[in-house]
Amino acid sequence: DTLRALFAGRLILIADGDTLRPRWTSIVPDPKRNGLRFAFEATLSRLPGALAIEARLFPYDRQHETYLNVHQDGALRLQDLLAGERRTATFYSGTRQGVAAVVGTFIRSGIHHIFIGPDHILFVVGLMLLGGGIGRLIKIVTAFTVAHSVTLALATLGILDPPARIIEPLIALSIVYVGVDTLRARRGGRDARALIAIGFGLIHGFGFAGVLREFGLPQQALGWSLFAFNLGVELGQATIVLLVAPVLSLARARAPSIHARIVTVGSWAVSLAGLYWLVERLFFAGP
């Protein structure tokens, strides 16, 4: 009873948002491993789409590692390691509810990453400063999404995965470039935003891959998670377009001189921010 009470608060199961209460059924010696084997059960009316397992079995031991194996229908479906600050793993079942849980989780993750990533936001805003109709701006941003989807998949699948110490400065350089190119195009140069979005989108994709690795990709639903994350990124970018484009369009129609200043000052701000990140990531980033 003491052992059951001890572990009751250290193993938490959450099925589709509902916390389960495991019922401990037995504790038996395991001589081969010089330990104890605990068995428990938790009843559900149906197989959950997402099952989150939080294990803090020995919180006083910072070096402790919990090896997690999840089986479904007798087959091993997930292996994970919980250690340090990472105490939770999520299993997505191979059901329609599981697919829905994966899609919902990773769409939110894609949207969240766009809005907490000032470098990605500035890159998208930089592409918008020259203006154009909503349709054209969406096409430019979509070109960025298509390009980063390619490298995101390559990195996630382990086919091509450059180190962050190379990718992060290149992302900063892309922001510098888009600001400078906007100034050039405003003086009569060619509008090459779609090509820029595709070219640098390939670089940004490797940056997104680093985020997904930290978040944890479910191997049993890899395709769905990649699709949903990209869709979330696209939705986040489209939101930025819908918020910023009308303001730029209104300024261009009502006050051309003010719009010209916005483009100039905005382009310099984008480039200087990118230059700051470039220096920081080249010379002051951690190992």
Side-chain angles (χ1 to χ4, degrees):
D1 290 340
T2 302
L3 290 174
R4 288 192 180 100
L6 184 67
F7 283 101
R10 299 183 186 181
L11 177 65
I12 300 173
L13 307 176
I14 302 175
D16 293 336
D18 295 328
T19 301
L20 304 181
R21 301 295 178 186
R23 185 175 69 86
W24 300 93
T25 56
S26 67
I27 303 175
V28 297
D30 187 350
K32 291 184 178 179
R33 297 189 178 185
N34 193 29
L36 298 173
R37 182 181 295 272
F38 291 71
F40 66 88
E41 62 182 25
T43 303
L44 282 170
S45 59
R46 61 175 175 79
L47 192 66
L51 178 67
I53 302 103
E54 180 180 343
R56 297 178 180 272
L57 301 179
F58 302 96
Y60 49 82
D61 182 0
R62 294 184 178 181
Q63 303 301 316
H64 178 72
E65 297 176 334
T66 299
Y67 295 88
L68 175 66
N69 296 313
V70 178
H71 298 258
Q72 180 183 340
D73 298 328
L76 180 62
R77 298 296 180 88
L78 173 67
Q79 289 185 302
D80 212 328
L81 176 67
L82 304 179
E85 296 301 316
R86 187 172 187 274
R87 295 295 186 182
T88 303
T90 302
F91 168 71
Y92 298 94
S93 65
T95 63
R96 278 185 291 181
Q97 293 91 344
V99 171
V102 169
V103 171
T105 297
F106 283 89
I107 285 178
R108 290 192 297 271
S109 176
I111 294 173
H112 177 72
H113 182 64
I114 281 295
F115 285 109
I116 65 166
D119 48 359
H120 297 300
I121 291 176
L122 273 186
F123 185 80
V124 173
V125 170
L127 290 173
M128 297 171 54
L129 286 173
L130 284 178
I134 291 291
R136 173 166 173 71
L137 293 176
I138 290 290
K139 287 179 181 178
I140 292 171
V141 173
T142 300
F144 173 61
T145 301
V146 171
H148 75 61
S149 298
V150 173
T151 46
L152 173 60
L154 290 175
T156 301
L157 297 174
I159 298 172
L160 182 63
D161 191 11
R165 68 177 181 275
I166 295 176
I167 294 303
E168 291 302 321
L170 286 177
I171 289 175
L173 183 62
S174 73
I175 299 167
V176 176
Y177 185 89
V178 76
V180 171
D181 186 77
T182 299
L183 291 171
R184 179 195 59 78
R186 184 175 173 275
R187 297 189 181 101
R190 179 189 174 196
D191 183 355
R193 286 179 290 173
L195 293 176
I196 293 172
I198 292 173
F200 284 115
L202 295 172
I203 302 298
H204 282 247
F206 290 119
F208 288 134
V211 174
L212 274 184
R213 272 193 297 270
E214 294 178 4
F215 191 79
L217 277 172
Q219 294 301 310
Q220 70 273 21
L222 190 59
W224 281 112
S225 57
L226 284 172
F227 167 78
F229 183 82
N230 281 315
L231 179 58
V233 169
E234 177 72 357
L235 291 173
Q237 292 170 165
T239 301
I240 295 171
V241 171
L242 294 174
L243 289 174
V244 176
V247 176
L248 294 174
S249 179
L250 183 63
R252 188 172 187 172
R254 300 285 182 86
S257 60
I258 294 178
H259 176 265
R261 292 178 185 175
I262 291 174
V263 174
T264 300
V265 173
S267 299
W268 277 107
V270 168
S271 291
L272 290 174
L275 183 61
Y276 168 79
W277 283 321
L278 179 62
V279 172
E280 179 187 50
R281 294 172 186 183
L282 280 175
F283 302 107
F284 300 102

